[in-house]
Amino acid sequence: MNKLLTTTILAVILLFNQSNVNAQTITVIPQPTVLKPGTGKFLLSRNTLIINGEKPFFKAAAAELGMMTTKCTATIKNEGKIIFKAGTTALPPGGYELVVSTQSVTITTNTAEGAFSAVSTLKQLIGAPLFKPTSSLTLEIPVVEITDAPRFEWRGIHLDVSRHFFDIAYLKKMIDRMALYKFNKFHLHLTDDQGWRIEIKKYPMLTAKGAWRTLNKQDSVCLEKAKENPDFALPEKHFKVIDGVRKYGGFYTQEEMKDLIRYAQDRSVEIIPEIDMPGHMMAATALMPWLTSNNKGGQAKDFSEPLCPCKETTYEFAENVFTEIAALFPSQYIHLGADEVEKSSWKNVPECDALMKKEGLKDINELQSYFVHRMERFFNSKNKKLIGWDEILDGGVSKTATLMYWRTWIPGAPKKAAEKGNEIIMTPGEYCYFDAQQDNNSLQKVYSFDPFNFHLDEADRKYVKGVQASTWTEYIPSEDRLEYMIFPRIMAMSEIAWRGKGSDWNGFEKKVIQQLPMLDAMKINYRFLDLTGFSLNSVFVDSASLQIINPVEAFKIRYTTDNSLPTNTSALFSGKLKITAPVQIKLAAFNDADKRGEVYTVNYKKLNYLEPATTDALQKGLNFYYYPHSYRSVKEISEKDLLTKQVTQAIEIPVTQTADQFATRHKGYFYAAETGVYTFFLRSDDGSVLNMDGAVLVDNGGLHTSIEKSAQTALKKGYHPFELLFLEGGGGYTLKLEVVDPSGKRRAVNAEDFYK
Ligand code: ACM
């Protein structure tokens, strides 16, 4: 080969490697619209010049950059510049351009929000060193060109501060993290049955008494869990002795809230207050029981006694509260809540009968909408717009209210709202409720959220203002637990909020892994990515080999076999572990800082290959039975409720219009094509149970969201009795069965597997 050719090839390889290196190291979440990696670095130093072009809307972003330079201890010769420029190109709202060269960083935008988003991108480009408690000589920003703009104007995070209180210092941390991932609305659920959290000067008792409680049932559950997991402990800092009694809670004074609002504004985050009415009001009605229809307050059938919409005293109270809320919060929107109202409490109430007659209201749903409409008129008189949970559709909604969609089990609600011309914020529980428990699918579940996939056609889509992740805190008492529930799911939600839809799951998962050191530097108690590839209920015949898929190279896996929890000195798992006797293995991943992730308990049982059934004249398919009845457990399924029996080819539910609650049974034989160990993975929402060879193999029973359980069995080649029971308790269902057969490949069970 001649020299010139060799040099050219080398240069090409070098170039290729160079751009590859950049492509791998430039990790931004959410993914910018256009990102062109270059070569080289800009060095941020103590003397980097920040030129903010005198525009007031650059001030907050420039101040943040100034803070970043103070992390650097070195000044450098030929110091670089960071230049803010008002946009000359037509950038979409909230958009920005960011050009990093070795000499300068240029941020072009027309808005404070765009400027702060550019700074958030820069922070991620620097990564972990920026967030470490120790200073650096300089900080490196890779050369890159980015053009970027959000898909949705509403990119929300909701936090319930009533069920458990989170203080201002922590909310500021949350705002920093929201801004880092380009969220711009912080919806605070400030009141609920369990505590009133915002000072109302007209009613000082609401916080003097209503913000404090003796421990309730949910607190007891947390305390019980705290015995195994300290993240469930109730923080000591939120206890206080009041009149000689130890109480738990807290609240924000209006001055503290103003400080928080300013802090958020500087980061282009808007705080949206929610005072939930007329239901979820027990913190207030315990003090003012005359606001309810029974004058006693307390618990009603499904929810607490709501405010009575038929008494003028209710409106006097509500308007006094919202007058202060409207003055305190600069946001255009106020959230009225209006979810989960025990409307039955308004039946046979003389004031309500009279109001219904006077206003021509036909039923209690219309009483609820009377309340919401009247409050909306009041909000409008204060120059504010009303948001309500999707229950505001019941009984008729005004065109100008904004609907916050949460009830995934009412899939038609967003369409109904769009057709009426109402704006919608999408936070459907199945994808967006971060209080839902997590497993190996929950991050991908959030990433798969398509805000338009709720029967919204092109014409309806313009009504979708945006998306929101919502976290209810009944069982989230501490900051660590909250972070565990939010991270890394918030990163997936940020992709949906910014881009509209996730389109590259594998790429996204890699980005999450690349950002873990940054989360570690921020000391965020994120949930580790799951270890997979094994079953907690494993078997061996002669011997087996435990294999684990570890998604993060930097995680070390450690294990014990003596029933103790693994620690950072436990045995290191080195790829495979040979099992020759029954054993219980507890294993967990550890990160660089020796923090432990989930503990998995794997049980190995010795089994002989199960003999196949002696059957003849089998046909393809499974017998399928459908029971349109409400059960709490598959054990309750009764043949007297059977409506249809038919044949399916695999695990399908061939009923076009299923009842809200129902159960199903698939029965036949699973054909083991070769003798060996089979692992069955059963995912369901709600419960399911897999029976094989006459015994329970996978018990995923109960009423729950989408959860996967698995178990292994050892099968001799042939036909094995198979029965899958499933129940749907309402709210949409999932039923999925996968198998790893002796070839080692994980796949869905299919028509090839089943006989009857
Ligand atoms: C809600 O989850 N009750 C809005």
Side-chain angles (χ1 to χ4, degrees), residues 605-655:
K605 209 167 63 177
K606 187 167 169 59
L607 202 67
N608 290 322
Y609 291 114
L610 296 173
E611 291 294 333
T614 41
T615 52
D616 43 38
L618 291 179
Q619 292 160 356
K620 282 267 162 128
L622 286 168
N623 288 313
F624 168 81
Y625 307 82
Y626 173 64
Y627 310 83
H629 189 83
S630 165
Y631 304 109
R632 275 165 308 154
S633 149
V634 296
K635 288 197 198 98
E636 294 175 2
I637 295 176
S638 160
E639 290 311 308
K640 76 175 176 12
D641 301 322
L642 178 68
L643 182 68
T644 51
K645 176 181 172 201
Q646 54 196 106
V647 173
T648 60
Q649 291 312 298
I651 308 301
E652 304 135 8
I653 298 183
V655 180

Side-chain angles (χ1 to χ4, degrees), residues 704-752:
H704 55 71
T705 53
S706 176
I707 293 178
E708 180 184 278
K709 294 237 167 117
S710 68
Q712 289 189 326
T713 184
L715 304 178
K716 213 172 236 181
K717 179 175 174 166
Y719 300 93
H720 292 265
F722 172 100
E723 183 185 46
L724 179 63
L725 301 157
F726 169 65
L727 69 86
E728 158 62 352
Y733 67 86
T734 304
L735 177 61
K736 193 164 135 192
L737 183 64
E738 294 184 317
V739 65
V740 175
D741 58 27
S743 77
K745 232 178 53 217
R746 183 165 167 162
R747 61 175 177 85
V749 293
N750 59 45
E752 298 296 308

